[in-house]
Amino acid sequence: MRRFRMFLVNLLGFYLILFEGWSGFCSETVWQPPRPSISHLQTINDRQTLMVSWLVSHSGLVGDVYEIQIGRAENHTVIYNRNVSLLSLDSDEYTWAWTSDLPLECVDHSVRIRRLYNKSVPSPWSSWRTNDGVQVEDKTQMFPSQRVLIEGTSAMFCCVPPRGLDITDITFDNKQHTPISVGAGVKAIMVVNLTIPNRPIKGLTLSCRDSTGKKSRIWNYVSFPPQKPKDLSCVTTDMTAVHCTWDSGREQHLYELNKQTITLHIENSDRAPINCKPSSCIFPAVPQWEEYNIRVTVKDPLGEETESHSFNISDRVRPVVEWDRVSLGVTDTTVSWIVQGKLTCPNLLCQLTKDPGSTTELSCNSVRGSCTAKLEPLLPNTRYSTRVRCSVNGRLWGEWTQPIAFTTCPLVTLDLWRKIKQQSDPNSRQVSLFWTPHVSGPAATANIQGYLVQWSQDGQNWTECKDGGQTQAEVSIGPGQCDFSVQVVLHTSCTVTYTAHITIPQRDDRGIRPVEKRFSSGTASGFNLSWDEQDSAACGYTVEWCILGNAVPCTLRWMKVPEGRNTLFLRARDFKAGCRYTFNIYECTENGHRLLETQTGYSQELKFVQSPSLVEPVQSTSSSVTLEWRYDVDDLAHPAFITGYLVTVQEVAPDTPLGHVAYLFNVTVAEPQRKSVTIDGLQQNHEYAFSVSALTKEGPGQPASITIRTGTNLHRPWTHLDSAHLAKILTPILLLLCCTILLWPQRKTLKWLKGIFVYPAGMNIKIPELDSFLHETVEWLQPQRVDECSSCDIEILYTRPPLNEPTTLSDAGPQSTPPSPGTHSCPPLQAEYCPQSVTVLLRDREALLCVTNKAYFHTVEEDLSEAQVRLSETYEPSESLQGSCSVEYDYISNDTGVSVVEYEDQRVPA
């Protein structure tokens, strides 16, 4: 029916066109369409929009065109003109909207329309339909006012003064603008690209001043229009509620006046719209509903945006889990979690992370109520954290749980050792247990509450508790084998127990002594211990020692050596130099520990040992001295092993020059247990200084000294005379005997000699005078005794001095350092006199002069009481040396044994 009506309308229109064209030829009368009229004129001030409505006649052809004009102010100044084509309409009234750039309150806005037939024949204009502006009585008004404007757009602001006044200036956001006249006294400005101010209140001020100087001010605000929701998605955690989220885009400010409303519509259900938060919305799931079509609408005064989404709820399941419990271990930890809600899935896929560490993916059956997993491998006594999430299909994962932190149990190992002491009762032994806890892990501490000591012997069990600060226990046991165990009790929730075991062997009555060894000082880095490997050592070896050496009491230390090794290195920094350490080496067998070896040594030997104690009185003769001393070689306080003794002998001569040694030699005793020595070959009636010091590997220690004078031998047996003495005594006797034999036949001829040997008359020779004569004779013979003599060498160094200094003779210096035992310097041997010589050494051009003390030779001149020897030697240097040098030797006396050397009028005693 509707199509038929449209056909008739079109047919009628065609007829009228033909009729008008034909009538034009017949008559000059111009036909005009009827005048249209505006039925309604409405305004929307917030949007600055005019809504124009007029009646439409359906008798016209489809596609009618209307021309619309917008006039402003009282004179209807046309500011807008447009043709509007009308399509097929269902109603008799058509409404058209126009948005003004100037607020409608500023001035009057009028509208009129006319119809264009065939887009060329206009109808008369309708009457102006006016929307009146604001009429101000006493105070200037400004528009727009308290309105939210769109960021980035342009806007016009107007000032409407009271009747009869004018606007002189307009300021926007503290900036003055040039006003534009838009009506009777009404002024306006155009502001382009509005921006949101950077302050808490996002407002902009508009102020106007009228011709009276009165100023008015209003506020407007700038914001942005609604943002289209992005990434809209929906999930469910328990199939009973749906949680939808989206990206709301730009976030509104805290004091935003542009309030938005967000609603969610389930378009394929009859449920009412749901009010939502800016970026999320939760609504209850429709029972037995799988497919959902939703639409999210964001609306505010500046506009409206929508977004649609469709999904199947079975594919949008995201499980939510929560922690159940954590069971700690040393190198692993067991964790369990529960899936929230009524979600039951036989093959739930979960991911478990370990920080630090990696992520583990595992499958669990949530139907049983919880899921369990073990984290391993972990370090003991170390802090970790873990979190978990689950998925139904492996594509959509639930949220990670909050990390849960835990610390693994400390790995506490007990280093257990014992010391056994036999009591006076043969059936009782005292066992001292020692243990040291070792905690593994980065945090090398453990909160130890105590220790539980347990032992069993002969079928009986005992238990004793110790506090956490105690590390030893004293237990009395019998002669049989005994098993001990020490268990650690911690102040933590860990259920792990730590126990150490040790076996005390039965008493050994065989009396087998261990091997005892003594080793020299350790290396600079420490002790290197080694021992013979034993086939019976089933569980390794244990080495024990005292940390303070062999001093009592000491702190016992021990170290375990694994099976298959028979060496141990101990760092030197743990030991003190000069302390003796004894290392007991035990082998570990199934029946306990057995002592194998005892090794004694020093980390570093020192030579500063105490001096021996000399025994007095000292036994001595005219040619020997016997020294005895006391010394405890095995004293544990010694800073080194005693290897022997050094005896130093030095003649005390009061006339020896300073820095010279008159008579010095050493005697070494290589046996530490030998504590006496006899020094032979000494001169009678001489004073000697003896010193005895203990020898170590590093050298002699502190000496003990004593001074002794030898005695005088007045009745020397002939048997003690050597060949030299006999030759001197017998030679005159034999000469006298030979002379007697040769002259005996001439005895009568020689009678005149009798007078010579006859005592003068009146001379009375008494017996005491004879004794005195014999004593003087013996005293004269004493110097003829063969004794040792010390030879002395004098080196005279001649060095060329500078030209401005005189040439002098320098002494090479005395031998102040005692000779070593191996140095040859007149040993105490029975030999002839040693010639005393002086060596004169001249440097640059060396000349060696030797002066030999030959004072002991018999002199031929009877009238001389001293042997006179004079030697003169002159050395002429080369041309490079200016001057000459001469050495003269004069008078070497038998009595004093002192020779004098003259050199350039300087006397130097030698």
Side-chain angles (χ1 to χ4, degrees), residues 18-128:
L18 292 178
F19 177 76
E20 290 177 357
W22 176 78
S23 59
F25 291 101
C26 300
S27 176
E28 295 180 359
T29 305
V30 179
W31 180 87
Q32 284 186 337
R35 181 192 304 270
S37 64
I38 297 174
S39 58
H40 296 91
L41 180 61
Q42 296 177 348
T43 61
I44 304 176
N45 291 329
D46 291 343
R47 296 185 179 182
Q48 301 179 181
T49 302
L50 284 176
M51 305 294 294
V52 182
S53 301
W54 64 88
L55 295 176
V56 178
S57 175
H58 292 285
S59 60
L61 294 175
V62 177
D64 284 350
V65 177
Y66 288 85
E67 184 180 0
I68 302 174
Q69 286 185 348
I70 304 294
R72 181 174 287 169
E74 292 85 351
N75 56 1
H76 298 155
T77 302
V78 177
I79 61 173
Y80 185 81
N81 188 36
R82 181 181 180 184
N83 292 338
V84 177
S85 297
L86 302 184
L87 300 177
S88 59
L89 301 175
D90 293 335
S91 63
D92 297 334
E93 189 175 46
Y94 181 79
T95 302
W96 175 78
W98 173 76
T99 302
S100 173
D101 55 353
L102 184 69
L104 300 177
E105 299 91 342
C106 295
V107 293
D108 296 342
H109 287 81
S110 301
V111 181
R112 69 178 180 175
I113 64 174
R114 68 178 177 176
R115 182 181 178 185
L116 299 176
Y117 286 93
N118 199 19
K119 300 181 180 181
S120 60
V121 180
S123 68
W125 286 100
S126 66
S127 301
W128 286 99

Side-chain angles (χ1 to χ4, degrees), residues 858-866:
H858 180 69
T859 58
V860 180
E861 302 291 338
E862 293 183 357
D863 57 345
L864 294 179
S865 62
E866 293 182 344

Side-chain angles (χ1 to χ4, degrees), residues 121-342:
V121 180
S123 68
W125 286 100
S126 66
S127 301
W128 286 99
R129 191 71 177 265
T130 302
N131 177 66
D132 298 329
V134 175
Q135 299 296 324
V136 180
E137 296 294 337
D138 56 353
K139 183 179 181 181
T140 300
Q141 294 188 13
M142 293 157 285
F143 301 98
S145 175
Q146 297 295 322
R147 188 180 297 176
V148 179
L149 306 177
I150 299 176
E151 179 189 20
T153 62
S154 300
M156 290 190 70
F157 300 88
C158 70
C159 299
V160 182
R163 188 178 299 272
L165 299 179
D166 197 4
I167 298 300
T168 58
D169 63 84
I170 301 175
T171 302
F172 181 80
D173 195 21
N174 298 324
K175 295 180 182 178
Q176 191 170 5
H177 290 256
T178 303
I180 304 172
S181 179
V182 294
V186 179
K187 300 293 178 65
I189 61 172
M190 173 68 75
V191 179
V192 297
N193 192 18
L194 295 173
T195 58
I196 300 176
N198 188 19
R199 46 181 176 260
I201 304 300
K202 310 302 179 182
L204 301 174
T205 60
L206 175 67
S207 60
C208 300
R209 189 186 304 274
D210 58 20
S211 56
T212 62
K214 189 175 182 180
K215 190 174 183 178
S216 301
R217 178 179 295 178
I218 62 169
W219 286 83
N220 286 285
Y221 305 93
V222 182
S223 184
F224 52 89
Q227 304 290 302
K228 186 178 182 65
K230 297 179 181 179
D231 301 330
L232 177 60
S233 64
C234 298
V235 296
T236 181
T237 59
D238 53 5
M239 300 293 289
T240 60
V242 180
H243 185 200
C244 297
T245 58
W246 59 87
D247 183 5
S248 61
R250 192 172 177 181
E251 185 179 357
Q252 288 190 323
H253 300 287
L254 180 63
Y255 301 103
E256 187 68 60
L257 298 179
N258 185 26
K259 300 302 181 181
Q260 295 180 344
T261 58
I262 301 100
T263 56
L264 185 145
H265 305 265
I266 305 176
E267 296 184 338
N268 58 342
S269 77
D270 56 356
R271 289 192 175 182
I274 303 159
N275 294 325
C276 304
K277 295 180 179 180
S279 59
S280 65
C281 196
I282 299 176
F283 63 91
V286 180
Q288 307 301 322
W289 203 276
E290 293 289 334
E291 297 292 336
Y292 287 83
N293 298 326
I294 63 171
R295 176 171 52 88
V296 177
T297 301
V298 182
K299 186 177 181 181
D300 64 11
L302 300 181
E304 180 179 328
E305 292 288 347
T306 61
E307 179 67 14
S308 300
H309 180 59
S310 299
F311 62 92
N312 188 314
I313 193 172
S314 299
D315 297 333
R316 309 301 299 172
V317 179
R318 179 175 287 178
V320 176
V321 298
E322 63 180 2
W323 290 111
D324 183 20
R325 66 179 182 274
V326 178
S327 299
L328 299 177
V330 177
T331 58
D332 57 54
T333 295
T334 302
V335 294
S336 61
W337 60 91
I338 299 175
V339 180
Q340 292 182 352
K342 299 179 180 179

Side-chain angles (χ1 to χ4, degrees), residues 447-452 466-469 487-491:
N447 192 2
I448 299 177
Q449 181 179 1
Y451 301 94
L452 191 64
K466 295 292 183 180
D467 294 335
Q487 179 180 337
V488 182
V489 181
L490 299 177
H491 270 298

Side-chain angles (χ1 to χ4, degrees), residues 279-548:
S279 59
S280 65
C281 196
I282 299 176
F283 63 91
V286 180
Q288 307 301 322
W289 203 276
E290 293 289 334
E291 297 292 336
Y292 287 83
N293 298 326
I294 63 171
R295 176 171 52 88
V296 177
T297 301
V298 182
K299 186 177 181 181
D300 64 11
L302 300 181
E304 180 179 328
E305 292 288 347
T306 61
E307 179 67 14
S308 300
H309 180 59
S310 299
F311 62 92
N312 188 314
I313 193 172
S314 299
D315 297 333
R316 309 301 299 172
V317 179
R318 179 175 287 178
V320 176
V321 298
E322 63 180 2
W323 290 111
D324 183 20
R325 66 179 182 274
V326 178
S327 299
L328 299 177
V330 177
T331 58
D332 57 54
T333 295
T334 302
V335 294
S336 61
W337 60 91
I338 299 175
V339 180
Q340 292 182 352
K342 299 179 180 179
L343 182 63
T344 57
C345 183
N347 295 315
L348 196 64
L349 190 63
C350 296
Q351 288 182 340
L352 187 66
T353 64
K354 177 184 63 176
D355 185 22
S358 58
T359 301
T360 304
E361 193 168 293
L362 50 92
S363 176
C364 73
N365 187 359
S366 63
V367 177
R368 295 177 297 178
S370 65
C371 300
T372 303
K374 179 179 288 188
L375 297 174
E376 58 181 356
L378 305 178
L379 295 176
N381 204 20
T382 304
R383 185 176 179 84
Y384 292 91
S385 65
T386 182
R387 56 181 184 164
V388 65
R389 68 176 182 176
C390 296
S391 174
V392 174
N393 50 21
R395 297 189 301 272
L396 187 63
W397 290 91
E399 296 292 336
W400 288 103
T401 61
Q402 290 295 325
I404 181 172
F406 62 90
T407 302
T408 53
C409 297
L411 178 59
V412 182
T413 57
L414 287 180
D415 192 2
L416 184 60
W417 187 236
R418 88 294 182 277
K419 196 169 188 64
I420 306 173
K421 181 180 180 181
Q422 181 65 47
Q423 301 291 340
S424 58
D425 185 0
N427 295 323
S428 177
R429 293 182 294 173
Q430 184 75 18
V431 176
S432 299
L433 289 179
F434 306 92
W435 60 85
T436 302
H438 298 283
V439 181
S440 302
T445 58
N447 192 2
I448 299 177
Q449 181 179 1
Y451 301 94
L452 191 64
V453 181
Q454 297 176 327
W455 67 95
S456 61
Q457 187 179 32
D458 299 333
Q460 295 183 351
N461 300 321
W462 294 270
T463 301
E464 183 177 350
C465 296
K466 295 292 183 180
D467 294 335
Q470 295 179 313
T471 57
Q472 67 182 51
E474 300 288 338
V475 178
S476 295
I477 63 173
Q481 180 174 312
C482 184
D483 295 325
F484 282 88
S485 66
V486 179
Q487 179 180 337
V488 182
V489 181
L490 299 177
H491 270 298
T492 63
S493 57
C494 297
T495 58
V496 184
T497 59
Y498 310 96
T499 306
H501 302 272
I502 194 169
T503 300
I504 306 299
Q506 64 181 3
R507 188 182 62 191
D508 189 1
D509 297 330
R510 294 177 297 175
I512 301 177
R513 296 182 59 84
V515 178
E516 296 184 0
K517 294 181 179 180
R518 174 182 290 185
F519 57 89
S520 60
S521 300
T523 63
S525 56
F527 285 107
N528 278 313
L529 303 178
S530 62
W531 56 89
D532 296 334
E533 191 170 358
Q534 304 294 322
D535 296 335
S536 57
C539 48
Y541 304 88
T542 299
V543 179
E544 71 170 13
W545 70 93
C546 283
I547 197 62
L548 297 180

Side-chain angles (χ1 to χ4, degrees), residues 741-761:
I741 294 174
L742 293 176
L743 296 177
W744 181 257
Q746 306 296 331
R747 59 185 179 278
K748 294 182 179 181
T749 306
L750 300 176
K751 286 183 179 181
W752 61 273
L753 295 175
K754 180 179 181 181
I756 299 175
F757 297 99
V758 176
Y759 295 123

Side-chain angles (χ1 to χ4, degrees), residues 803-877:
L803 296 177
N804 56 354
E805 294 182 7
T807 302
T808 58
L809 187 66
S810 60
D811 193 351
Q815 299 292 333
S816 59
T817 303
S820 62
T823 304
H824 175 73
S825 60
C826 293
L829 301 176
Q830 301 293 335
E832 297 293 335
Y833 272 84
C834 297
Q836 297 183 4
S837 62
V838 178
T839 301
V840 179
L841 181 61
L842 298 179
R843 298 295 180 183
D844 293 342
R845 299 289 185 138
E846 295 184 355
L848 185 63
L849 304 179
C850 183
V851 178
T852 302
N853 180 8
K854 298 181 179 181
Y856 58 88
F857 290 149
H858 180 69
T859 58
V860 180
E861 302 291 338
E862 293 183 357
D863 57 345
L864 294 179
S865 62
E866 293 182 344
Q868 298 181 1
V869 180
R870 187 174 185 85
L871 176 63
S872 176
E873 177 80 19
T874 301
Y875 170 71
E876 296 292 338

